[in-house]
Amino acid sequence: MTAPSFNLVEIIRILLKQKRLIILITVLAVALGGVFMLVKKKKYKAEARFFVNNPLYGDRNTLFRTSEQRYVDYFGGDDDLDKITALGNSDTVMDRIIRNCDFDKIYKFGDMNNDTSHAMYMSTFEKNFNLKRTEYKDIVVSYTAYRPEDAANVANMSVKVLEETFRHYYTSMKEGMAKSINDKVKQLDSSISSLTDTLANLRDKYGIYNIISPDRHNITSGDMKGGGKGYGKGMEEIQNIESIKDQLVTDRSHYISLLNEYSAASGSSMEYLKLITRALPPTSPTGPSMRMVLIVSGMLGLFFSMIYVLMIEYFRRLKAMI
C-alpha cells in the first residue's frame, strides 16, 4: 500500500475547497494578535551613549612630565572599554544604581534591605539593562521600564555610577599614595623638629654657630672661632647631626612636591567618561508595532490553517485506503 500524495493542482483544489475554514482561522489569529497587543503592558526603552577617556591622560606622569612627553590618546583603548563592561555587570554597580533610582518605589517588591526583595530588584535590573560597545568605540547603555521617565532615569544614573566607580578605581590608589606620603611628611616634621632642638642645644653648649655641614654645597664655611677641650668633638657632633637634618629637609621638600602632584592628579575636575547622548524619556513603546503584530499573526494563521487543512485531507485519504 502506497501512502497518498498530492500534486500542486490537488493542493490548490483542497485549499480552495476549505477556503472558509482557512479565512476563519486567519481572522481568529489576527484577532488574537490584536487582543494580545491591547492587553500587553507597554514597555519603554531609553538609551545613553558615552566615550571612555584615557585614564593615563590624568596621571601625574603626564601632568607633571619630567622628560619628553610621549603621545597619549585622549580616548580610552579596548582595555578601558573592557573595564567599563566588567564594572557595568558587577553587583557593586548594579546595587548602587537600584538604590539611587529607588527601585523599591518603582517595582514595589518590598524592603530593599530584605535579601529576597533585593534579589528580585537585582534580577529585574539585569533583565532590563543592557550595555554594549559599538564599532565607533563608544558604549551604549539602555534600560527598559514600564514608564518612560523611569527608563531614562535609570539609563542616566547608570552612566553616572559607572563614571564614579571607574574614577574611584584610579583616584583611590592616588589618594592612598598621597596619604602615605603625607604620613611620612608628618614623621619627617617630627624628626626635623627633634634634630633642630638637639642642634640648638649643642651650639649653645659648645658656642659653635658656623655653617659646618658638608652637605651644604656651594657654601663656604667661615673662620671657625673658639677652642678648648671638647670643641672638636662638638664640631663633629654638630656636623653629623646637621648632615642628617639637611637630608631630611631635602626629602621633606621632595615628598611635599610628590604630594601636590598626586593631589592634583586625583582631583574631581577631570572626567573619566564623556557623555555624548543623554537618555530622554521615549515617546513610543519598544517592541513591534500593532500593525506588524497583526501582519505576522495573519501570516502565521494562514500558514498553519493551510497545513491543518492538508493534514486533515491526508489522513482522510489514508483512512479510505485501509
Side-chain angles (χ1 to χ4, degrees):
M1 181 181 65
T2 59
S5 60
F6 302 110
N7 56 35
L8 181 59
V9 176
E10 289 179 331
I11 291 175
I12 295 175
R13 186 182 296 114
I14 294 171
L15 294 178
L16 291 175
K17 184 179 179 180
Q18 300 291 338
K19 61 180 180 180
R20 291 185 178 180
L21 179 61
I22 293 175
I23 293 174
L24 177 61
I25 295 175
T26 302
V27 171
L28 288 176
V30 173
L32 288 175
V35 171
F36 172 78
M37 287 297 294
L38 293 175
V39 174
K40 179 186 175 183
K41 198 171 183 179
K42 296 180 180 179
K43 286 188 175 184
Y44 298 86
K45 183 178 181 180
E47 291 185 347
R49 292 174 175 263
F50 61 89
F51 281 118
V52 180
N53 296 337
N54 191 344
L56 295 179
Y57 214 89
D59 189 75
R60 58 174 287 270
N61 292 321
T62 304
L63 294 176
F64 304 94
R65 55 191 182 277
T66 56
S67 59
E68 181 183 357
Q69 182 185 13
R70 296 186 177 181
Y71 174 73
V72 179
D73 194 359
Y74 284 98
F75 297 96
D78 291 334
D79 291 341
D80 299 309
L81 271 64
D82 290 340
K83 292 183 180 67
I84 290 294
T85 303
L87 289 173
N89 294 318
S90 65
D91 290 343
T92 303
V93 170
M94 290 191 291
D95 179 72
R96 286 189 58 191
I97 295 173
I98 65 175
R99 292 183 183 275
N100 291 348
C101 294
D102 297 327
F103 266 40
D104 53 343
K105 297 179 181 179
I106 298 175
Y107 295 100
K108 301 181 177 10
F109 292 149
D111 186 8
M112 186 80 73
N113 297 319
N114 181 272
D115 292 340
T116 303
S117 300
H118 185 267
M120 295 176 66
Y121 291 127
M122 293 285 282
S123 176
T124 301
F125 177 83
E126 287 186 84
K127 182 174 64 175
N128 295 292
F129 178 76
N130 186 40
L131 185 150
K132 63 180 181 180
R133 298 166 51 176
T134 72
E135 65 274 17
Y136 303 108
K137 285 194 174 183
D138 65 330
I139 293 181
V140 180
V141 292
S142 61
Y143 190 78
T144 305
Y146 292 116
R147 297 193 304 175
E149 56 272 20
D150 291 337
N153 182 39
V154 175
N156 291 323
M157 181 59 67
S158 301
V159 178
K160 180 181 178 181
V161 173
L162 280 171
E163 199 279 335
E164 292 174 352
T165 307
F166 190 56
R167 175 199 300 274
H168 180 72
Y169 180 82
Y170 290 95
T171 58
S172 62
M173 290 187 289
K174 298 175 184 177
E175 290 171 354
M177 294 176 184
K179 183 179 183 304
S180 178
I181 294 173
N182 188 53
D183 293 340
K184 191 61 180 179
V185 169
K186 291 180 180 179
Q187 295 178 10
L188 290 176
D189 287 339
S190 178
S191 299
I192 292 172
S193 177
S194 177
L195 291 174
T196 300
D197 294 339
T198 302
L199 280 173
N201 293 332
L202 287 174
R203 289 182 180 278
D204 291 338
K205 178 180 178 180
Y206 296 106
I208 302 173
Y209 300 102
N210 301 79
I211 299 175
I212 58 177
S213 175
D215 287 342
R216 295 177 183 266
H217 303 291
N218 300 325
I219 296 179
T220 303
S221 299
D223 294 335
M224 303 302 297
K225 298 179 180 180
K229 186 177 181 180
Y231 188 79
K233 181 181 179 180
M235 288 181 58
E236 294 298 328
E237 289 181 356
I238 292 174
Q239 182 175 257
N240 292 338
I241 294 176
E242 273 195 347
S243 65
I244 297 174
K245 178 187 173 184
D246 289 347
Q247 184 61 50
L248 293 183
V249 171
T250 302
D251 292 344
R252 180 178 181 274
S253 62
H254 179 63
Y255 288 157
I256 291 177
S257 178
L258 287 176
L259 181 61
N260 291 332
E261 290 181 10
Y262 280 115
S263 299
S266 59
S268 59
S269 58
M270 289 182 287
E271 294 181 334
Y272 281 69
L273 300 183
K274 181 62 178 178
L275 183 66
I276 56 176
T277 302
R278 182 176 176 83
L280 298 175
T283 57
S284 58
T286 186
S289 62
M290 172 68 81
R291 181 179 179 182
M292 181 61 66
V293 171
L294 294 179
I295 292 175
V296 173
S297 299
M299 293 179 64
L300 290 176
L302 178 64
F303 175 76
F304 285 107
S305 62
M306 290 190 297
I307 296 296
Y308 173 75
V309 168
L310 292 175
M311 290 182 62
I312 293 297
E313 181 64 22
Y314 174 83
F315 286 112
R316 187 186 67 79
R317 295 188 181 187
L318 184 63
K319 184 177 179 181
M321 297 174 61
I322 298 176

